[in-house]
Amino acid sequence: MATLALSGCDGRQSVLAPGGADARVLGDLFWVMLGGAIILWLLVNGLFFYVTRINRAALSRRFANGLIIVGGVIFPTVILGALLAYGLSIMPDQRAPGDGLTLRVTGEQWWWRVEYWPEGAEAPIISANEIRLPAGQRSEIILDAGRVIHSFWIPALGGKMDMFPGRETRMSLHPEAPGHWRGQCAEFCGASHALMAFEVVAMAPDDFALWLAAQEAPAAPPADPAGIRGAEVFTREGCGACHTVRGPEGRDSQPRGAVGPDLTHVGSRLSLGAGTLGTTLEDFETWIAHTGAIKPEVEMPAYDHLSAGDLSDLAQYLKGLE
């Protein structure tokens, strides 16, 4: 029965299926505290059972006073004090600094702006709604928020950290091996709070370096007719006012729309709409045409006025941005 119950605690968004050093420490803390709680529960209920079922005789005043002092004061204080000391002892490890890569993550309404700052970099490599980390290394993460508070949480990798407008908070994560997990905003932030997730991928260091170099590169121009027409629709509809697609001329020579996510390599991401949809052509079309219906109060308008052909071409263009 216990095995059946614990089977629901597995998965890529479970604190009881740790994939990182920090989550493993927090998992140990959970089991220790659960053990302490079970001991207290057994003792309290065992004593209650003893005096109500086994020994129903009146207790002497001396025995009753001793029972209250020892069982109600001394023993809980010792148990809770030991649990507190253990919890405090692991806090320094949870605040350890990173050792190379730094990420800046900004909580928007309702998506995640992600900037990668490799050691010595003068400018960030920008992405959105997805976190990639090198496995076997501790990466520093700087957190802030746009207009409202958020909370950054990857249960399988570590604890949560709140994000506040105008104030930076910091944490670090150390995935132990390559893996794929899910993160989530853990602080109610508005109508689409529940639709503010993100994919998390830990990669072997060499694979991560190749991925990061590909993300830094400009978008390849579309080669197929549908993609070329889609790029024209993108320009005609003014999508560049909110979104950036870095072209071959370089990072700083292109107009940059900073309102919405950077779309330079959106076709290579694992989800759309901050974990709301996949990245098939149908998903792109659905997101473009029904944005507000999928994610209430999102700032991006729905382009339901596009013809079926323009919508298909635009989706083809965005899907090709890999």
Side-chain angles (χ1 to χ4, degrees):
M1 190 67 178
T3 303
L4 181 62
L6 289 175
S7 65
C9 300
D10 200 2
R12 63 194 191 101
Q13 196 178 350
S14 173
V15 296
L16 299 182
D22 306 280
R24 196 169 300 282
V25 171
L26 293 177
D28 292 342
L29 176 62
F30 167 80
W31 291 114
V32 169
M33 295 187 70
L34 179 62
I38 290 174
I39 291 173
L40 284 175
W41 186 90
L42 289 174
L43 288 173
V44 170
N45 285 277
L47 179 61
F48 181 78
F49 183 81
Y50 173 78
V51 299
T52 59
R53 292 291 185 270
I54 298 177
N55 184 10
R56 299 185 179 185
L59 301 177
S60 67
R61 184 178 183 85
R62 181 177 180 182
F63 181 81
N65 288 340
L67 185 63
I68 292 172
I69 293 172
V70 175
V73 178
I74 296 177
F75 188 78
T77 300
V78 171
I79 292 293
L80 294 177
L83 292 174
L84 177 62
Y86 176 74
L88 292 176
S89 72
I90 69 173
M91 286 186 67
D93 291 336
Q94 299 296 303
R95 302 181 65 87
D99 54 12
L101 177 70
T102 297
L103 285 75
R104 176 180 287 274
V105 181
T106 303
E108 305 286 358
Q109 290 179 278
W110 285 268
W111 58 281
W112 307 89
R113 191 187 304 274
V114 184
E115 299 178 1
Y116 295 86
W117 290 83
E119 194 170 11
E122 297 181 356
I125 300 168
I126 301 174
S127 185
N129 297 324
E130 191 171 293
I131 302 293
R132 303 238 178 183
L133 299 169
Q137 301 177 17
R138 181 168 292 278
S139 299
E140 182 117 358
I141 304 177
I142 303 172
L143 303 167
D144 61 11
R147 298 179 183 176
V148 298
I149 58 174
H150 300 281
S151 186
F152 183 86
W153 192 24
I154 309 172
L157 291 186
K160 65 183 72 171
M161 180 66 70
D162 287 342
M163 309 163 77
F164 307 94
R167 174 186 169 189
E168 288 185 354
T169 52
R170 292 173 177 261
M171 66 184 303
S172 64
L173 294 174
H174 184 172
E176 296 174 317
H180 183 190
W181 302 279
R182 185 178 186 271
Q184 176 69 45
C185 178
E187 182 75 35
F188 180 73
C189 55
S192 288
H193 160 69
L195 301 174
M196 191 173 172
F198 54 97
E199 299 294 323
V200 184
V201 181
M203 310 171 71
D206 291 344
D207 293 337
F208 176 79
L210 292 174
W211 175 85
L212 197 60
Q215 293 295 301
E216 186 177 22
D224 60 293
I228 294 172
R229 292 194 302 269
E232 295 171 353
V233 174
F234 186 90
T235 302
R236 185 189 75 213
E237 295 295 327
C239 302
C242 295
H243 298 285
T244 296
V245 177
R246 288 181 278 108
E249 290 81 2
R251 183 192 307 273
D252 297 325
S253 63
Q254 294 293 310
R256 300 185 65 181
V259 176
D262 186 299
L263 299 181
T264 303
H265 298 291
V266 65
S268 66
R269 294 173 193 160
L270 300 174
S271 72
L272 291 176
T276 306
L277 296 173
T279 54
T280 66
L281 284 173
E282 292 76 13
D283 290 328
F284 274 100
E285 291 182 14
T286 301
W287 175 252
I288 295 167
H290 306 287
T291 318
I294 295 171
K295 182 167 285 194
E297 296 185 11
V298 70
E299 294 185 352
M300 178 179 166
Y303 285 80
D304 51 1
H305 63 278
L306 293 177
S307 67
D310 283 350
L311 182 61
S312 177
D313 290 341
L314 181 55
Q316 187 71 44
Y317 166 64
L318 293 175
K319 176 64 177 174
L321 293 175
E322 297 183 348

